[in-house]
Amino acid sequence: MNDASPLPVVIVGGGFSGAMLAARLAERGQASILIERGDAFGPGVAYSTTNDAHRLNVRAGRMGAVADRPDDFIDWLAAHHPDQADPDGFAPRRLYGLYVRNRLTTTETAHPGLIRRLSGAVIAVEGRSAILSTGERVEGRAVVLATGNPAPRTTPTGEAGRIIANPWTPDALTPVRPDDDILILGAGLTMVDVLLTLSSQGWRGRATAVSRRGLLPRAHGQHHDAPIDLPPEALSGPQSARLAVARRLARAHGWRRVMEGYRPITLDLWRAASEAERARFLRHLRPWWDVHRHRIAPEIAAELDQLLGEGRLTVRAGRILDIEASANHVTVHLAGEAAQTLAAPWLIDCTGPGHDATATPSTAALIAEGRARLDPLRLGLDLDQSGRVRHADGTPDPDLYVLGPPARAAFWETIAVPDIRQRIEALALALTA
């Protein structure tokens, strides 16, 4: 039997993580207050796009928002958009945003009064309360920080607006003219979305993407790759030895099958790793892990290949030494043996989320008062295995949780729906039992 409390759970962040937690809590009889800075509850940044060139990075058949109903999204597509109901396909992210909104609203209808939506900016967390910029105090039985991915924090704004520091800001890319050349910081998934957006707007220029190692996201296969059973020597021992085993397995079975073998046990491996092992992974292996683990749809990879083949996309490996912006162009100086200078009318920051807990007012205040502390590797807030925030002395806070991308210090893989929905289920159980 559920042990729901009459006091609501206060959820800070109304994107996918927060909205789907509120829905799951309601299904278990627990009330919640869902606080979102704007009025778009449900999809968050990733699924708010209206551009159908932006596709899911996970096959639709694995994108159900509920842990025990992985086919839920496919069932919804079959009912509302049957032409997209391919479990092996990569549906437009716009449709996934509609699905998330629909799940939230139907849950509200089925469980009236258990989900309260509140628009406002949370500036502090005190006890079991969230404090809004208006001064309003929202009190509950616990607080969950589900604030999603923060904006990039690599570049300054730039003179004359020539540096686009956050491409996800509405209309951020509209100043780029069809024939303008661009420089892009980062060569990952954000870069892919930016190029797709510009191309859909009729952009015909050239792009130069700069990243430390010059790696592009790999593509999914045409069909799901069955995972292989990883041998013990791939799971324990020195990292160099495990890497050698993984490479041998990739040559024998294909790297996609090897990555699928790691997927369900990634959390266990992360938890078992020492701080030194995690640091070595982040320093040496993370870029290769990211491009193989977080893949793009085959049709999107084909568009990238076309841009590369036409000479309209060039990828440079290098470290940024300096950025200079003038009224007409931006110049980037690269350091190292391949030192060079690049210039274009625009610079777009695609380095991805700027995970800096000290830069967010509410979490910075928690750290300052000793109610929270940073993870030793500064990945984010330090959490226990239940997602509870650790105080400065390491004691878990019984009333303060973190969910979704900001919880990566404890769980590592916390940005894909199949991973987040497992955390939602575990947290819903913890808050109602």
Side-chain angles (χ1 to χ4, degrees), residues 134-159:
T134 59
E136 181 180 357
R137 176 183 292 268
V138 183
E139 185 176 1
R141 62 172 298 193
V143 177
V144 179
L145 302 178
T147 50
N149 281 315
R153 295 185 55 82
T154 301
T155 60
T157 303
E159 296 184 20

Side-chain angles (χ1 to χ4, degrees), residues 219-295:
H220 285 277
Q222 292 298 325
H223 302 284
H224 175 64
D225 294 275
I228 65 168
D229 293 326
L230 298 171
E233 57 268 25
L235 307 177
S236 61
Q239 285 184 343
S240 57
R242 282 187 274 171
L243 180 59
V245 173
R247 286 172 170 163
R248 187 182 73 241
L249 293 171
R251 289 192 294 269
H253 304 283
W255 63 264
R256 293 185 182 89
R257 295 192 63 195
V258 174
M259 293 303 295
E260 290 300 321
Y262 277 111
R263 182 165 187 158
I265 60 173
T266 299
L267 174 58
D268 296 331
L269 294 175
W270 181 253
R271 284 178 168 171
S274 66
E275 182 181 327
E277 289 173 329
R278 292 182 183 185
R280 282 196 296 272
F281 170 81
L282 294 172
R283 190 165 56 248
H284 300 297
L285 296 180
R286 179 184 176 181
W288 282 270
W289 172 269
D290 284 347
V291 298
H292 289 87
R293 169 67 175 82
H294 303 290
R295 289 164 252 168

Side-chain angles (χ1 to χ4, degrees), residues 71 88 91 122 130 136 166 173 237 258 317 379 409 429:
D71 293 333
D88 224 22
V122 174
E136 181 180 357
N166 182 6
L173 300 175
V258 174
L379 291 171
L429 288 171

Side-chain angles (χ1 to χ4, degrees), residues 117-330:
R117 302 189 190 195
L118 181 60
S119 295
V122 174
I123 60 172
V125 175
E126 296 178 0
R128 299 175 179 177
S129 301
I131 312 301
L132 303 186
S133 57
T134 59
E136 181 180 357
R137 176 183 292 268
V138 183
E139 185 176 1
R141 62 172 298 193
V143 177
V144 179
L145 302 178
T147 50
N149 281 315
R153 295 185 55 82
T154 301
T155 60
T157 303
E159 296 184 20
R162 288 293 168 177
I163 295 177
I164 300 174
N166 182 6
W168 290 112
T169 302
D171 301 322
L173 300 175
T174 53
V176 180
R177 295 171 300 185
D179 294 318
D180 282 346
D181 291 342
I182 58 174
L183 298 176
I184 298 178
L185 298 187
L189 298 177
T190 304
M191 179 211 70
V192 174
D193 280 345
V194 163
L195 290 178
L196 292 172
T197 299
L198 289 173
S199 295
S200 67
Q201 295 173 356
W203 172 73
R204 302 179 296 271
R206 294 172 298 173
T208 301
V210 179
S211 71
R212 288 295 296 269
R213 292 171 177 82
L215 300 173
L216 288 172
R218 297 332 191 230
H220 285 277
Q222 292 298 325
H223 302 284
H224 175 64
D225 294 275
I228 65 168
D229 293 326
L230 298 171
E233 57 268 25
L235 307 177
S236 61
Q239 285 184 343
S240 57
R242 282 187 274 171
L243 180 59
V245 173
R247 286 172 170 163
R248 187 182 73 241
L249 293 171
R251 289 192 294 269
H253 304 283
W255 63 264
R256 293 185 182 89
R257 295 192 63 195
V258 174
M259 293 303 295
E260 290 300 321
Y262 277 111
R263 182 165 187 158
I265 60 173
T266 299
L267 174 58
D268 296 331
L269 294 175
W270 181 253
R271 284 178 168 171
S274 66
E275 182 181 327
E277 289 173 329
R278 292 182 183 185
R280 282 196 296 272
F281 170 81
L282 294 172
R283 190 165 56 248
H284 300 297
L285 296 180
R286 179 184 176 181
W288 282 270
W289 172 269
D290 284 347
V291 298
H292 289 87
R293 169 67 175 82
H294 303 290
R295 289 164 252 168
I296 57 178
E299 54 266 42
I300 302 303
E303 292 191 44
L304 278 187
D305 288 341
Q306 182 174 345
L307 289 173
L308 289 165
E310 294 173 350
R312 293 182 55 212
L313 172 61
T314 303
V315 182
R316 304 284 189 200
R319 179 172 61 86
I320 304 297
L321 181 63
D322 188 32
I323 298 174
E324 299 176 3
S326 69
N328 299 312
H329 67 279
V330 181

Side-chain angles (χ1 to χ4, degrees), residues 371-372 381-383 387-391 395-397 400-402:
R371 192 178 178 187
L381 293 179
D382 194 13
L383 313 175
R388 297 181 298 179
V389 172
R390 291 187 186 275
H391 294 174
T395 305
D397 191 309
L400 185 58
Y401 296 80
V402 176

